[in-house]
Amino acid sequence: MDILASILSTFAKFVLRNADETMSWIMRRMLRGAIVLLSWFVIPYSWIKTLRISRQKIPCMSSNLLEIPAVDLAQMIRKRQIKCEHVIKAYVDRCRQVNHLLNAIVQERFDEALQEAKNVDEFLATTTKSTEEIEHETPLLGVPVTVKESIGLRGMSNQAGLRFEKQRVAMEDAPSVAQVRKSGAIFLLVSNTPELCMLWETYNKITGTTRNPHDLRRTPGGSSGGEASLLGAGASLLSLSSDIGGSARLPAMYTGVFGHKPTPFLVSPYGHVPTSGDPRWGDYFTIAPMTRYAVDLPLLLKCMRDPQGPPVDIDKPVDVKSINYYYMDSDGPSGLTRPLTSDMQQAVLKVARHFNAQKVHIDLLKWSFDISVSQLLRIQNIETIYNQSWDTEKSKKLSVEWLKYLFGCSNHIFSSVLIGFLQKFISSLPQRRHDQLEGIAKELKNHFVQLLGTNGVFIYPSFPTSAHYHYRIFHKLLDTSYMMVFNTLGFPVTNAMVGMDKNNLPVGVQIVASPQQDHLCLAVAKELERAFGGWKKPPQTS
């Protein structure tokens, strides 16, 4: 009887799996068709909008101080080799020089930052502490940092591009900001995001559209597009961003910098707009470091980390020659995402050849989109325009907001209006479907953990294309599954800059490791920076 029960159980699972795969195949065809249909509207709209954007290049960088990595800059300030005031002034001047073209800054605190820089210089001129003591206590003393506006920075705007009746200001620092402030950093500004950070491009109805420094007609990505734009333009050095579906990695790739999604809860996920009361929130969402130079990622991550977080040894020595390397240059294929451009495929292959990586085929990755939307769109109590927790605002009704949007009367952008429909659709699917996808996610996670262990990394595309023209993400939404899947699985992953494509736009790859093995991702990113040059200056006027 036990043998018969086992056979029947196996047969039932086979039938259910094949039925679900048939259902998925039908849904994929429908989704792919809907995306193609959407592109007929998006592409002409994008061209019209692009015609209005200047082809002007950003101004040339005028100070050598702007080209020093934070690890070196912090040391030079500690050793009194340069004045902190001169460093902060150089970055303030650069922000003022480029922002009228980039439109990346929501609110600045330049006067306060310059005064804090003078205070640092006065402290260094009078202290009896050794350089080693200063480094131990305040490793980022005097170093400029910029912050995504959705992350709480005391006294600064904190509404994530959402229009409020009265401006929402952060009353206190987010935990990650407080940690970086303790390290001695000087905050310059808060930067632009899409409305409620719910889009992979950066625009809203308050600040407007943020532009890519490599080509102003193109997007810097989102939702951390303001930070990426400033980093890529040489107007920021260290950045606090966030990531729930590639929000730090895609902007980093589009602007040629480095972004890291940490192991869950290594950095506190709180103090952010939007947030959620779901206990799983931090499994998927994190505050994330972005830097212009890969060598600075470990330093910033150490300063951001939650003292109560998981035991991750960020400084653990790594011999990059002894790591086990694996790679894929597609997602299965899933039948949902578009093929990689030749430049993106060559970027993956170039990295794979550099490390002599082994090509693998992980068939379960074809489920990336399914498992990601099933889990991410079912996060409970996440703040949206339909579920607002702010005292001065009322939640919207889905049908009313759709009608207002269709008649051009909504105060919100398309993605904010769309999210309610997507949540309702996903929640209407049979629970058996979600259970099956959760089982696939666990199977995929176990497969990766067994493959990578504690000394392996997986090289994978960040996105099929380099930076596109503004607003074209709407017919590329399915392609974000390359990034979302690692939020779903809870893996640390770094976007590493690799080179430039035929249009002179940055291309990069994702470096994935097992949970709590962030040091492997960071070490490989530093090696890629050494091998391929890292950040490149955007085209600039002389």
Side-chain angles (χ1 to χ4, degrees):
M1 291 295 291
D2 289 342
I3 295 175
L4 179 60
S6 177
I7 292 173
L8 289 173
S9 175
T10 302
F11 178 73
K13 288 178 181 178
F14 173 80
V15 170
L16 287 173
R17 171 65 70 90
N18 279 274
D20 284 322
E21 288 196 4
T22 301
M23 178 182 176
S24 291
W25 186 89
I26 294 171
M27 292 179 65
R28 286 163 194 261
R29 300 284 72 76
M30 292 175 62
L31 277 170
R32 190 72 251 168
I35 288 293
V36 171
L37 181 63
L38 188 59
S39 71
W40 297 350
F41 299 92
V42 171
I43 292 176
Y45 179 80
S46 173
W47 277 119
I48 293 169
K49 287 289 188 177
T50 299
L51 289 173
R52 302 179 182 178
I53 299 175
S54 169
R55 298 195 181 192
Q56 184 178 349
K57 298 175 183 176
I58 65 172
C60 184
M61 297 172 69
S62 57
S63 173
N64 292 333
L65 293 174
L66 299 172
E67 300 181 49
I68 303 173
V71 289
D72 298 324
L73 196 63
Q75 187 175 44
M76 294 169 74
I77 292 172
R78 284 192 297 269
K79 291 185 175 180
R80 292 81 165 173
Q81 294 172 346
I82 53 175
K83 291 279 190 181
C84 178
E85 183 182 1
H86 295 165
V87 172
I88 299 302
K89 186 176 186 306
Y91 275 93
V92 167
D93 290 346
R94 182 61 174 169
C95 287
R96 287 172 170 159
Q97 188 182 36
V98 300
N99 191 58
H100 71 286
L101 294 172
L102 302 178
N103 191 37
I105 300 174
V106 175
Q107 186 180 5
E108 45 87 358
R109 57 184 308 277
F110 294 154
D111 291 340
E112 295 91 334
L114 287 167
Q115 182 57 55
E116 290 167 11
K118 292 177 183 178
N119 295 342
V120 168
D121 288 331
E122 291 176 6
F123 164 75
L124 291 172
T126 58
T127 186
T128 58
K129 292 182 179 180
S130 67
T131 302
E132 291 74 20
E133 287 176 308
I134 295 171
E135 180 179 9
H136 176 73
E137 294 174 3
T138 51
L140 287 179
L141 183 66
V143 177
V145 174
T146 56
V147 180
K148 186 176 181 179
E149 192 258 359
S150 55
I151 303 170
L153 176 60
R154 188 176 63 241
M156 301 294 286
S157 177
N158 182 219
Q159 52 197 63
L162 186 64
R163 182 173 288 169
F164 287 82
E165 292 182 7
K166 183 179 179 182
Q167 184 186 30
R168 186 179 192 273
V169 174
M171 302 307 294
E172 59 183 7
D173 288 337
S176 54
V177 171
Q179 289 298 116
V180 173
R181 192 186 292 277
K182 281 171 57 178
S183 75
I186 294 178
F187 296 106
L188 299 181
L189 54 88
V190 290
S191 65
N192 204 26
T193 76
E195 194 172 279
L196 289 176
C197 300
M198 291 184 178
L199 190 60
W200 290 272
E201 291 198 23
T202 297
Y203 72 95
N204 56 60
K205 293 197 172 186
I206 302 175
T207 308
T209 302
T210 297
R211 305 179 185 94
N212 192 316
H214 290 271
D215 183 342
L216 299 178
R217 299 169 299 167
R218 298 177 187 266
T219 180
S223 61
S224 305
E227 288 300 308
S229 182
L230 293 168
L231 286 166
S236 179
L237 184 61
L238 302 179
S239 159
L240 271 64
S241 64
S242 61
D243 194 308
I244 194 173
S247 295
R249 287 163 283 152
L250 186 66
M253 201 274 281
Y254 275 7
T255 58
V257 298
F258 295 83
H260 179 69
K261 187 203 86 66
T263 289
F265 292 101
L266 177 58
V267 178
S268 170
Y270 303 113
H272 184 271
V273 177
T275 189
S276 166
D278 194 319
R280 301 175 302 161
W281 175 242
D283 292 334
Y284 307 126
F285 172 84
T286 182
I287 308 296
M290 291 174 65
T291 62
R292 204 182 330 145
Y293 302 103
V295 293
D296 292 334
L297 274 177
L299 173 63
L300 181 56
L301 184 57
K302 283 190 298 182
C303 293
M304 293 171 63
R305 71 178 301 167
D306 186 345
Q308 307 303 316
V312 176
D313 187 355
I314 298 169
D315 285 329
K316 187 175 181 178
V318 176
D319 177 4
V320 293
K321 294 181 180 179
S322 69
I323 295 175
N324 300 316
Y325 295 93
Y326 308 92
Y327 80 97
M328 282 179 63
D329 56 4
S330 75
D331 64 346
S334 66
L336 281 177
T337 59
R338 66 193 62 236
L340 268 62
T341 64
S342 58
D343 290 312
M344 296 302 296
Q345 191 165 45
Q346 284 303 310
V348 174
L349 295 176
K350 183 165 66 171
V351 173
R353 285 194 295 266
H354 181 75
F355 293 117
N356 194 27
Q358 175 186 344
K359 189 170 186 177
V360 294
H361 179 77
I362 303 173
D363 186 64
L364 289 175
L365 278 172
K366 69 184 181 184
W367 293 90
S368 293
F369 183 81
D370 306 70
I371 63 177
S372 296
V373 297
S374 173
Q375 296 196 29
L376 297 180
L377 286 175
R378 290 189 302 132
I379 296 174
Q380 298 298 308
N381 300 317
I382 188 170
E383 294 169 330
T384 70
I385 63 172
Y386 306 109
N387 179 36
Q388 297 193 40
S389 61
W390 306 286
D391 294 337
T392 59
E393 305 295 318
K394 293 182 179 179
S395 296
K396 309 294 191 301
K397 291 184 178 180
L398 182 59
S399 57
V400 173
E401 202 57 37
W402 266 107
L403 284 172
K404 289 171 68 176
Y405 185 83
L406 290 173
F407 285 97
C409 301
S410 176
N411 288 327
H412 306 289
I413 66 173
F414 179 65
S415 57
S416 290
V417 178
L418 179 65
I419 188 69
F421 170 78
L422 294 177
Q423 288 175 320
K424 189 173 285 289
F425 173 75
I426 292 298
S427 64
S428 70
L429 295 177
Q431 182 60 42
R432 183 178 64 81
R433 169 71 172 171
H434 295 301
D435 293 342
Q436 186 243 356
L437 291 174
E438 188 169 338
I440 293 173
K442 289 179 179 177
E443 189 178 346
L444 180 57
K445 182 172 184 176
N446 290 336
H447 180 90
F448 266 118
V449 168
Q450 291 174 15
L451 176 71
L452 302 179
T454 59
N455 193 43
V457 299
F458 179 59
I459 301 160
Y460 198 53
S462 299
F463 201 73
T465 69
S466 55
H468 49 253
Y469 292 108
H470 292 287
Y471 312 113
R472 295 200 180 185
I473 191 62
F474 288 111
H475 71 282
K476 298 182 178 182
L477 288 173
L478 305 180
D479 300 333
T480 59
S481 59
Y482 277 99
M483 300 171 293
M484 284 196 296
V485 64
F486 299 112
N487 294 83
T488 305
L489 300 179
F491 282 65
V493 52
T494 303
N495 176 84
M497 163 67 170
V498 175
M500 310 296 281
D501 70 4
K502 62 185 177 184
N503 295 316
N504 203 30
L505 297 168
V507 293
V509 300
Q510 294 185 96
I511 308 298
V512 186
S514 294
Q516 301 186 26
Q517 308 304 316
D518 298 63
H519 62 290
L520 296 177
C521 302
L522 303 179
V524 172
K526 286 195 288 184
E527 169 58 18
L528 291 176
E529 180 175 57
R530 184 203 65 78
F532 301 119
W535 170 75
K536 304 286 192 303
K537 292 180 184 178
Q540 302 175 80
T541 57
S542 57

